[in-house]
Amino acid sequence: MTPDEFVNEFKELRDSIQKEYFSSNCEISRLKKLEDSGLNSEQIALVKSIVGDALTDSLYTVLLGLEGCASISKYQETYKLFNESGEELTGEIESVAWEQFHG
């Protein structure tokens, strides 16, 4: 796995969670709960956007936290991640994460 592939896993996780939360036929769907609360489609779209922003911010921060570029909660430390071949993934995650999440 390369740094690009590693970061892409987080991006795909974000996209999957957001899609499934707002799909009526998924186990983790929250759509019925929102509809039952009386939200209309415009309001649900706003909630979906906010959830997407929260997932982006959270996952992006975790990725940057692994590089020591941001804190994960209270502590800011640098971690080293290696793939199964022993190649280090950290060191490039920050730039790749920016591209995939904000570029």
Side-chain angles (χ1 to χ4, degrees):
M1 179 176 288
T2 67
D4 288 326
E5 293 167 327
F6 182 75
V7 171
N8 192 58
E9 289 293 308
F10 281 80
K11 183 177 174 285
E12 287 182 7
L13 175 64
R14 179 205 60 190
D15 295 346
S16 174
I17 291 171
Q18 186 177 18
K19 180 182 177 186
E20 291 176 8
Y21 261 44
F22 296 91
S23 296
S24 58
N25 58 349
C26 289
E27 284 184 30
I28 67 167
S29 178
R30 301 303 190 265
L31 191 56
K32 182 166 177 16
K33 185 182 275 189
L34 293 169
E35 291 169 342
D36 289 349
S37 72
L39 295 181
N40 64 37
S41 60
E42 185 177 303
Q43 293 167 321
I44 291 172
L46 177 61
V47 172
K48 182 178 182 179
S49 174
I50 293 169
V51 167
D53 291 346
L55 287 168
T56 294
D57 292 346
S58 299
L59 294 171
Y60 180 71
T61 299
V62 168
L63 288 167
L64 265 57
L66 293 173
E67 296 247 290
C69 301
S71 62
I72 301 174
S73 192
K74 301 185 222 181
Y75 302 104
Q76 184 169 345
E77 296 184 30
T78 302
Y79 300 90
K80 289 188 177 195
L81 295 175
F82 297 89
N83 65 17
E84 290 182 348
S85 302
E87 298 165 346
E88 187 173 355
L89 298 176
T90 43
E92 296 180 39
I93 290 175
E94 179 185 12
S95 60
V96 173
W98 175 260
E99 271 182 42
Q100 290 199 31
F101 280 87
H102 298 293

